[in-house]
């Protein structure tokens, strides 16, 4: 009798584990779509720029103001929402963010004023500021530390897929039904995702706390250690290393979205239709590169390699190689070779947004993980306010043809410097020891 009961209980546990395993990949898929819509929302303004400016009779300075308005509340909302992320069910926070995106897009589905356009972009930026860190916070609640590389990469690649998909799809919709239809499409997509998430969304209970990689759980920074101050966390060596690398990574993103297509056309001499395809291929290259690095890191961790090497040193090497590729753009080379260098450089640099959150999550107490991810993300995204404007001023001083490549070389030098710093700073095990001592 006792034996049959044990068999029954074992069978029930197996079924429960199987259901949980399926559920967490449904969550990952949903968050992939979440990030896809997020980046499509970011890209739409540039894709409809010409007809929008024509119809609304906007000057270039007014359109530039609209573009910058997106970042007005981006970082502030990221910090604000992050601070309450560990007190409110993240299911409702993510649903609220997606609904905010829809509210920010739908008014533009009809003829509107410049003030409404400006307000909608500010609202959209406020809704998108906390998106990435909160999505990763949910992922980390479903996967232990050793298992996080692949799901993190898949969710982050949703942003890449959003850019790749948005370019041809929204361009076609704009040409077929005017630019208002592009905003209507994204507004509906935001509403549909909100409904989907309310049906399937849920946080998990896999803590994978700070010590889960290389030291026993009872000696780590546990989820109960809420007394560790924010200053202690933000001045930790690993967090500082992540901030440096991700700040330069966001320089790459913001310059890429603003200036790289123009560089292909004006600097390298490609035609407009060729530029669109080349940029799409460049972004596509990020997917296999990201998956390959995630798999390599995962295998190193499974073999018992410390995270300092499997994550910290790996992403630091990646930054250095990316920086060298950017610097090589300054040298004389055929246009297609420079496109290849650009694809390699940007694909490697963008991986800081996979490894950076993983490293932060390793050392953060579970009770403060969501907030710390949001705060660090908000700090690094301030690069979006600085980099495009700086590149524009450089082009004004030097000229378009050579100015682009000087700007890319400066970006490369920053990547090399932050990559070198990462070898010294990114050490989660030492960080955990410091945080235990501080506690």
């Amino acid at each position: 009798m006792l034996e049959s009961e044990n068999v029954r209980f074992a069978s029930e546990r197996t079924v429960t584990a199987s259901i949980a395993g399926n559920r967490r990949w449904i969550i990952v898929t949903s968050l992939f779509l979440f990030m896809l819509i997020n980046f499509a929302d970011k890209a739409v303004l540039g894709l409809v720029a010409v007809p929008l400016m024509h119809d609304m009779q906007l000057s270039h300075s007014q359109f530039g103001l609209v573009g910058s308005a997106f970042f007005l509340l981006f970082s502030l909302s990221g910090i604000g929402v992050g601070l309450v992320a560990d007190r409110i069910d993240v299911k409702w926070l993510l649903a609220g963010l997606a609904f905010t995106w829809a509210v920010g897009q739908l008014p533009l589905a009809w003829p509107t004023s410049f003030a409404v356009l400006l307000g909608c972009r500010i609202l959209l930026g406020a809704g998108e500021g906390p998106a990435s860190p909160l999505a990763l916070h949910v992922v980390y609640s479903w996967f232990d530390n050793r298992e996080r590389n692949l799901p993190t990469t898949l969710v982050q690649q949703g942003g890449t897929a959003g850019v790749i998909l948005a370019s041809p799809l929204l361009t076609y919709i704009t040409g077929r039904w005017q630019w208002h239809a592009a905003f209507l499409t994204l507004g509906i997509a935001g509403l549909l995702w909100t409904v989907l998430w309310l049906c399937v969304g849920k946080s998990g209970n896999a803590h994978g706390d700070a010590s889960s990689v290389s030291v026993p759980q009872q000696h780590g920074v546990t989820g109960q250690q809420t007394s560790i101050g924010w200053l202690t966390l933000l001045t930790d060596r690993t967090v500082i290393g992540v901030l440096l690398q991700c700040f330069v990574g966001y320089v790459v993103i913001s310059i890429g979205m603003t200036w790289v297509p123009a560089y292909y056309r004006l600097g390298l001499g490609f035609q407009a239709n060729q530029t669109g395809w080349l940029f799409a291929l460049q972004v596509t290259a990020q997917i296999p590169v990201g998956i390959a690095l995630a798999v390599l890191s995962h295998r190193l961790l499974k073999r018992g390699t410390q995270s300092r090497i499997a994550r910290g040193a790996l992403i630091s090497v990646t930054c250095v190689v990316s920086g060298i590729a950017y610097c090589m753009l300054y040298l004389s080379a055929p246009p297609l070779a420079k496109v290849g260098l650009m694809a390699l450089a940007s694909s490697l640099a963008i991986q800081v947004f996979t490894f950076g959150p993983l490293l932060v999550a390793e050392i953060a107490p579970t009770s403060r993980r969501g907030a710390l991810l949001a705060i660090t993300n908000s700090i690094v995204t301030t690069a979006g306010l600085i980099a495009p404007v700086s590149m524009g001023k450089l082009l004004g001083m030097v000229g378009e043809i050579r100015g682009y490549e000087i700007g890319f070389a400066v970006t490369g030098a920053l990547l090399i410097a932050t990559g070198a710093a990462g070898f010294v700073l990114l050490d989660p095990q030492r960080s955990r020891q410091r945080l235990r001592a501080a506690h």
Side-chain angles (χ1 to χ4, degrees), residues 7 30 41 77 151 156 167 177 187 248 258 308 323 325 329 339 353 356 360 428 431:
V7 171
S30 300
D41 284 344
S77 69
Q156 295 288 53
S167 183
W177 290 286
V248 181
T258 307
R308 176 175 62 87
L329 288 167
V339 171
F353 296 105
V360 170
S431 292

Side-chain angles (χ1 to χ4, degrees), residues 27 30-31 91 94-95 193-202:
I27 296 296
S30 300
L31 294 173
K91 172 180 179 176
L94 287 179
W193 189 90
T194 303
V195 174
L196 170 67
W197 183 248
L198 290 175
C199 293
V200 305
K202 183 182 179 182

Side-chain angles (χ1 to χ4, degrees), residues 335-378:
L336 284 177
K338 291 195 172 186
V339 171
L341 283 171
M342 180 67 74
L344 173 65
S346 60
S347 297
L348 291 173
I350 208 73
Q351 304 311 318
V352 296
F353 296 105
T354 295
F355 285 83
L358 285 169
L359 289 163
V360 170
E362 272 195 59
I363 68 171
T366 304
S367 58
R368 291 199 167 176
R369 184 175 61 205
L372 187 59
L373 287 170
I375 291 171
T376 53
N377 183 73
S378 297

Side-chain angles (χ1 to χ4, degrees), residues 67-357:
S68 297
F70 178 83
F71 290 99
L72 185 63
L73 298 178
F74 190 91
S75 296
L76 293 176
S77 69
I79 294 173
V81 174
L83 290 173
V84 301
D86 299 312
R87 299 181 178 88
I88 299 176
D89 190 340
V90 182
K91 172 180 179 176
W92 297 105
L93 283 177
L94 287 179
L97 292 181
F99 183 75
T100 301
W101 305 349
V103 172
Q105 300 285 35
L106 289 175
L108 305 179
W110 294 271
T112 188
S113 66
F114 175 73
V116 171
L117 173 63
L118 196 66
C120 284
R121 294 305 290 183
I122 293 173
L123 178 63
L124 182 65
E128 296 200 346
S132 178
L134 287 188
L136 294 180
H137 181 46
V138 174
V139 169
Y140 298 159
S141 73
W142 283 95
F143 292 85
D144 288 329
N145 200 11
R146 289 181 182 274
E147 303 176 301
R148 289 173 180 166
N149 284 54
L150 182 58
T152 298
T153 301
L154 291 176
V155 171
Q156 295 288 53
Q157 293 301 337
T160 303
V163 176
I164 295 171
L165 180 64
S167 183
L169 178 60
L170 297 181
T171 299
Y172 170 78
I173 290 173
T174 299
R176 180 70 175 81
W177 290 286
Q178 294 189 336
W179 61 268
H180 295 287
F183 289 99
L184 176 62
T185 301
L186 292 174
I188 293 173
L191 291 176
L192 290 176
W193 189 90
T194 303
V195 174
L196 170 67
W197 183 248
L198 290 175
C199 293
V200 305
K202 183 182 179 182
S203 293
N205 56 9
H207 295 294
D209 289 322
S211 59
S212 59
V213 173
S214 56
V215 296
Q217 176 64 40
Q218 62 267 30
H219 301 299
V221 181
T222 70
Q224 302 302 316
Q225 290 179 301
T226 57
S227 63
I228 298 177
W230 287 112
L231 183 61
T232 301
L233 289 169
L234 291 172
T235 56
D236 174 76
R237 59 186 297 139
T238 298
V239 173
I240 291 173
V242 169
L243 288 173
L244 290 173
Q245 291 185 350
C246 288
F247 185 88
V248 181
Y250 213 82
V251 169
V252 171
I253 287 180
S254 57
I255 288 180
M257 296 292 286
T258 307
W259 293 111
V260 168
Y263 168 63
Y264 285 169
R265 188 168 182 182
L266 302 177
L268 300 182
F270 290 103
Q271 299 298 316
N273 59 337
Q274 294 174 319
T275 294
W277 283 108
L278 288 172
F279 187 64
L281 289 173
Q282 172 195 315
V283 175
T284 303
Q286 297 172 10
I287 296 177
V289 170
I291 293 175
L293 287 173
V295 170
L296 174 59
S297 176
H298 178 70
R299 289 180 176 176
L300 289 172
L301 289 172
K302 286 189 69 174
R303 293 175 184 174
T305 305
Q306 288 189 346
S307 182
R308 176 175 62 87
I309 303 298
R311 286 174 178 164
L314 180 60
I315 191 57
S316 297
V317 170
T318 300
C319 286
V320 171
V321 175
S322 173
I324 293 172
Y326 268 120
C327 290
M328 290 177 66
L329 288 167
Y330 190 76
L331 304 176
S332 297
L336 284 177
K338 291 195 172 186
V339 171
L341 283 171
M342 180 67 74
L344 173 65
S346 60
S347 297
L348 291 173
I350 208 73
Q351 304 311 318
V352 296
F353 296 105
T354 295
F355 285 83

